[in-house]
Amino acid sequence: MNTGNAVKQKKLSRENWTGLAFIAPAVLLLILFLLIPFGLTIGNSFTNYNILKPGETQFVGLKNFIKLTRDTVFMKSIVNTFVFVILVVPLQVCLALGLALLVNRKLKGISVYRLAFFAPTVLSLVVVSILWSYIYNPNNGLLNSLLGSLGLGPFKFLNNPRTAMLCIVVLSAWQGCGFQMMIFLSGLQDIPAYLYEAARVDGATRLQQFFHITLPGLNNIAVFVSLNIVVSAFQLIIQPMMMTAGGPQNATMTIVYEIYQTGFKYNQMGYGSAMALVFTVIVLTITLIQNKITSKSNED
Amino acid sequence: MRKKVMSMLLAGTMAAMTLAGCGGGSGAGAGKAAEAETAADGSMELTIWVHETDSSDEGKHYASLVEQFNETYAGKYHANLSQIARSGDAGGYDDKINAAISNGGLPDVYTVDGVTVAQYADAGAIIPIDSYFTQEELADFNPSIIQQGTYDGKLYTLGAMDSSVGIFYNKDMFQAAGITPATKEEPWTLEELTQAAEKLTTENCFGITMSLDAKDETMIYFFLPLIQSQGSNILSEDGLLTDGYLNGQAAVNVLTWIKDMADQGYASATPAENSFELGQAAMALTGAWEPTNLEKFGDINWGLMPMPKYDSNSKAVSACGSWTFAISGQCADEKKEGAAELVRFMTSTEAAKGMFDANAMPPSRQSAFAQIDAFNQEPLDVFQYQLTNTAQSRPVSVNYAVASNQFATAVQNVLTGMEVKEALDQAVEQYNFQTDTE
């Protein structure tokens, strides 16, 4: 990787302007929609900026951050977000991989299945959340009707602080896994068939083929997929907003939801910015750690 | 390589911050800066924003009103309408207003939700309008419309429509159970309602559905009247304190009752969609939008009772409040006269009557009530009676959004097992924390 760069260095300098022109739109957008807002957020987090009273904004130093340390709901939302990430990432990766293995066959009509598993991804999260609220409903809800026919329930899934987050984990994994399934699928189809043939000749069982050919072959894809899921999982907001409003008893309050509520519902942009900054640091730290771990495992 | 990237990123961030620092509102394109002050025919240009697009009947009504305004005042005023969609409870429209407050792009007149009047007035985003209206004009409005639009002793907004909440009931089920419904002058007490609900509850039918799974403004809209019925509120008179109000005895009483109704199984804490309309609940505590909904189902023989009062010693209080029109704080002085004329036009008797035709909501003024037959006969006369006699607006407070949200959270917490007093104390604690109230 590094040696390749050195060789190309000379050539690049001649093509510098073309190259720059090509990346300019992306960089501009990045500056406009990422770096500037990020800079503004840092600035705002040290003020008492109220969205309705921009004229009265004052510098308040670390006041917002000191307030954050006393904010029990924000602390709870950090814990909840981590619980969600820890539960949803393995579940979603496994689901996606499982589905990819299932649909990676040359059967008649397999594309119908691929489409069916992929479909939830294209649905709006709002729609999916409302749909699942019906499914979880204790009165005549689909899930409780099923359990009822087995003589169980009814359970108030979303109205129980112990199960509410779990419900959101399940529906999120269901909604998201179709997309990652497609990525896994393309990875599966990239694994050369002769490896399997050779394994079969050597007498490897299907399970051995899976662990010694399929999994190593998907390593890079798995890293990409899990990174992807982690980052999007941290941004959980729509499902609790639609289904539980962060309740019951703050059991499903997440960081981004709390930031949204503080900034746009209570108009406290300054305080909300401080929350956002803390959130950024958390996600950045985790991504860096993840990067370290995965780059190490790639070198092995 | 990596170092280089990092330093470039850093440089980029710094450049961005400098840009942001001096850039201010230069990027604000949605403003009215380039607009001509006067139109070709010499009439004064006015701008107005509303929260409904022309995909709804209400939105179409706004559009046709502005058209009529322009015809009526041709050569004098000309209003330009922008219809902006709302998305969720604080999306689209509200975002656009908030952005416009910062960058100076507010229109001359815009619609404001009744409960946000205090916030916008306090921020100077809307201005008092009392001086543009005569006492006789204002006397025609429902008292609660004036109450909702008044902040710090001054009137800021007027609306064309109002809303109300009552108990819709299934006449057939009432007859079968031998229950006599309450009249509009004599509402039930909570005890009477509970007894009726008990009688009406069967294995497949709840006594009453009260949207207990709604975790939003609905909770205040439905249940605040029961607190006000006991002479209390969720906020102090000045709209700043919740201690002793949000967690006061009156609120404790109401939440205890809600919890009992759910615990006894008379009302579902997680009602199924349209349970009243499908005959799975004998009564429904809900608002003036319900008849439109019932029309879609059709085969329910329904009646309407007024909002119950707390007990025989308390007064009858009902909910009210809806979207209103206000003159923006950024409206130029020479345009204020015209903007007031536009507000007057948008909230006229005709406008209010047309609003009923568009979205079936009760009108904001008595003269319009008189012209709409539906409100002068059963069952909807209950709403007219309530809006004329018993309606009390929600607190006009700069901190209303926080208090309301905490109330909804408390109801939810109580329904999921928390003690009533604990839930309300927590609500007050959170309110104090969020608003920096000591």
Side-chain angles (χ1 to χ4, degrees):
Chain A
M1 186 78 185
N2 276 331
T3 49
N5 267 339
V7 175
K8 277 184 189 161
Q9 202 74 52
K10 234 179 193 171
K11 219 176 167 190
L12 267 177
S13 62
R14 254 182 284 151
E15 293 165 1
N16 253 356
W17 286 110
T18 335
L20 280 179
F22 270 112
I23 61 164
V27 169
L28 260 173
L29 289 177
L30 213 66
I31 291 176
L32 202 61
F33 292 110
L34 208 77
L35 290 181
I36 293 182
F38 188 61
L40 284 174
T41 306
I42 296 177
N44 286 340
S45 64
F46 295 99
T47 66
N48 63 354
Y49 178 27
N50 177 320
I51 200 169
L52 293 181
K53 300 183 196 169
E56 293 173 25
T57 305
Q58 279 171 341
F59 181 77
V60 293
L62 289 173
K63 197 176 153 215
N64 288 331
F65 294 95
I66 294 166
K67 187 175 172 182
L68 263 184
T69 61
R70 294 188 294 124
D71 194 333
T72 48
V73 178
F74 186 67
M75 293 301 161
K76 183 97 205 272
S77 73
I78 293 181
V79 174
N80 290 341
T81 309
F82 270 90
V83 168
F84 177 76
V85 172
I86 289 166
L87 291 177
V88 84
V89 173
L91 181 65
Q92 197 166 332
V93 171
C94 291
L95 266 177
L97 182 59
L99 288 177
L101 289 170
L102 279 179
V103 297
N104 185 29
R105 295 176 204 195
K106 293 195 173 69
L107 290 176
K108 227 180 172 186
I110 195 74
S111 49
V112 175
Y113 285 94
R114 286 181 192 168
L115 190 71
F117 295 139
F118 185 70
T121 315
V122 252
L123 288 178
S124 142
L125 255 179
V126 176
V127 174
V128 171
S129 301
I130 294 174
L131 194 77
W132 278 75
S133 314
Y134 292 151
I135 293 179
Y136 288 133
N137 190 301
N139 309 321
N140 309 328
L142 185 65
L143 191 54
N144 271 306
S145 299
L146 278 176
L147 289 172
S149 61
L150 299 173
L152 298 169
F155 298 102
K156 293 182 170 179
F157 294 105
L158 288 173
N159 269 39
N160 185 333
R162 268 187 236 135
T163 53
M165 188 51 106
L166 216 61
C167 292
I168 292 181
V169 168
V170 171
L171 100 87
S172 306
W174 174 82
Q175 196 268 346
C177 69
F179 183 70
Q180 282 91 23
M181 173 196 79
M182 284 317 229
I183 301 174
F184 271 128
L185 190 60
S186 68
L188 283 175
Q189 291 173 347
D190 267 355
I191 300 175
Y194 66 78
L195 288 180
Y196 291 103
E197 275 165 37
R200 267 200 299 277
V201 171
D202 288 346
T205 62
R206 294 209 75 148
L207 213 62
Q208 281 172 321
Q209 290 178 26
F210 175 73
F211 281 108
H212 296 286
I213 300 172
T214 312
L215 273 192
L218 289 176
N219 197 9
N220 281 338
I221 303 249
V223 167
F224 169 74
V225 163
S226 52
L227 208 87
N228 219 309
I229 301 178
V230 167
V231 172
S232 64
F234 267 108
Q235 295 169 4
L236 175 69
I237 172 168
I238 294 177
Q239 297 93 314
M241 191 189 245
M242 297 307 299
M243 300 173 75
T244 60
Q249 294 160 34
N250 291 324
T252 57
M253 186 51 90
T254 65
I255 303 177
V256 180
Y257 193 10
E258 181 69 3
I259 293 171
Y260 163 79
Q261 194 148 294
T262 307
F264 293 101
K265 245 181 149 173
Y266 299 164
N267 304 326
Q268 301 299 332
M269 271 292 168
Y271 188 44
S273 297
M275 289 179 175
L277 205 59
V278 171
F279 175 61
T280 312
V281 170
I282 292 175
V283 176
L284 206 67
T285 315
I286 288 178
T287 317
L288 285 179
I289 293 172
Q290 211 171 5
N291 237 332
K292 264 261 156 66
I293 296 171
T294 51
S295 62
K296 214 175 239 167
S297 72
N298 273 358
E299 279 163 19
D300 289 345
Chain B
M1 183 68 192
R2 183 159 279 178
K3 236 177 206 168
K4 212 167 180 186
V5 171
M6 283 306 280
S7 64
M8 270 171 73
L9 267 175
L10 215 71
T13 320
M14 279 154 77
M17 282 165 79
T18 339
L19 269 175
C22 54
S26 64
K32 49 184 177 178
E35 222 166 74
E37 286 296 302
T38 49
D41 62 351
S43 60
M44 182 179 279
E45 290 285 344
L46 298 167
T47 48
I48 173 170
W49 289 1
V50 297
H51 61 279
E52 284 278 339
T53 64
D54 60 2
S55 63
S56 72
D57 288 338
E58 186 183 331
K60 287 192 189 98
H61 179 54
Y62 291 129
S64 95
L65 278 176
V66 170
E67 227 168 84
Q68 288 170 39
F69 176 83
N70 289 338
E71 276 167 29
T72 313
Y73 289 92
K76 197 168 180 209
Y77 303 120
H78 185 268
N80 295 303
L81 174 71
S82 297
Q83 299 187 282
I84 301 150
R86 298 177 76 209
S87 52
D89 58 358
Y93 183 74
D94 296 3
D95 287 345
K96 188 140 191 208
I97 296 284
N98 291 340
I101 288 174
S102 297
N103 67 25
L106 278 180
D108 299 313
V109 174
Y110 60 98
T111 52
V112 170
D113 192 0
V115 284
T116 50
V117 168
Q119 278 182 27
Y120 283 150
D122 177 59
I126 55 179
I127 58 166
I129 55 173
D130 348 41
S131 55
Y132 301 103
F133 290 85
T134 64
Q135 281 307 316
E136 293 88 76
E137 273 180 301
L138 295 181
D140 187 41
F141 283 90
N142 303 339
S144 54
I145 288 283
I146 305 292
Q147 192 190 358
Q148 139 184 291
T150 304
Y151 173 70
D152 213 6
K154 296 187 204 82
L155 180 71
Y156 282 85
T157 65
L158 285 173
M161 60 176 165
D162 210 330
S163 186
S164 194
V165 172
I167 300 174
F168 291 77
Y169 65 95
N170 188 315
K171 281 185 173 169
D172 301 334
M173 290 185 189
F174 264 49
Q175 208 151 29
I179 296 170
T180 322
T183 61
K184 61 184 178 190
E185 293 91 355
E186 282 295 324
W188 276 347
T189 61
L190 282 190
E191 204 185 325
E192 287 170 294
L193 177 60
T194 312
Q195 282 164 1
E198 183 183 0
K199 267 193 211 167
L200 292 159
T201 301
T202 63
E203 200 179 325
N204 303 315
C205 182
F206 284 100
I208 185 167
T209 175
M210 306 195 286
S211 301
L212 289 181
D213 62 335
K215 299 149 190 102
D216 49 22
E217 186 63 22
T218 313
M219 292 294 103
I220 276 277
Y221 210 65
F222 286 6
F223 298 116
L224 176 63
L226 293 173
I227 298 176
Q228 291 167 325
S229 170
Q230 303 169 65
S232 186
N233 211 319
I234 57 161
L235 278 157
S236 58
E237 197 76 21
D238 59 8
L240 295 177
L241 298 175
T242 49
D243 198 13
Y245 299 89
L246 184 52
N247 61 352
Q249 192 55 46
V252 170
N253 292 341
V254 172
L255 261 67
T256 307
W257 175 75
I258 296 173
K259 187 180 167 62
D260 284 348
M261 290 295 280
D263 286 351
Q264 303 285 341
Y266 304 155
S268 174
T270 52
E273 196 80 347
N274 295 316
S275 42
F276 177 69
E277 295 79 353
L278 294 168
Q280 293 159 5
M283 296 181 276
L285 179 72
T286 187
W289 52 86
E290 178 65 14
T292 319
N293 196 22
L294 278 160
E295 255 170 44
K296 285 184 232 154
F297 289 83
D299 48 1
I300 293 275
N301 183 14
W302 60 274
L304 177 59
M305 297 190 292
M307 183 73 198
K309 51 185 187 180
Y310 180 70
D311 61 20
S312 51
N313 295 322
S314 30
K315 59 180 183 251
V317 176
S318 62
C320 64
S322 191
W323 283 76
T324 60
F325 291 89
I327 301 178
S328 126
Q330 295 169 10
C331 180
D333 277 342
E334 68 272 16
K335 286 187 176 186
K336 281 179 180 158
E337 208 51 64
E341 213 49 60
L342 185 53
V343 171
R344 176 175 288 116
F345 199 89
M346 299 302 283
T347 59
S348 69
T349 306
E350 280 308 304
K353 195 168 161 281
M355 190 63 81
F356 170 76
D357 295 330
N359 65 5
M361 294 307 271
S364 60
R365 38 201 306 168
Q366 295 300 317
S367 54
F369 266 128
Q371 292 178 29
I372 303 172
D373 292 338
F375 287 111
N376 294 298
Q377 61 199 29
E378 282 184 15
L380 293 184
D381 59 337
V382 171
F383 284 152
Q384 169 174 19
Y385 182 85
Q386 289 195 145
L387 285 169
T388 314
N389 299 294
T390 66
Q392 262 188 39
S393 81
R394 292 161 283 177
V396 184
S397 156
V398 284
N399 294 332
Y400 176 78
V402 184
S404 165
N405 199 24
Q406 291 308 330
F407 180 78
T409 303
V411 173
Q412 214 50 42
N413 287 348
V414 163
L415 288 171
T416 53
M418 204 184 265
E419 286 300 317
V420 171
K421 183 65 180 157
E422 186 192 347
L424 288 169
D425 281 342
Q426 204 179 71
V428 169
E429 197 182 296
Q430 272 301 311
Y431 170 89
N432 288 345
F433 181 79
Q434 295 290 350
T435 58
D436 294 314
T437 306
E438 293 312 323

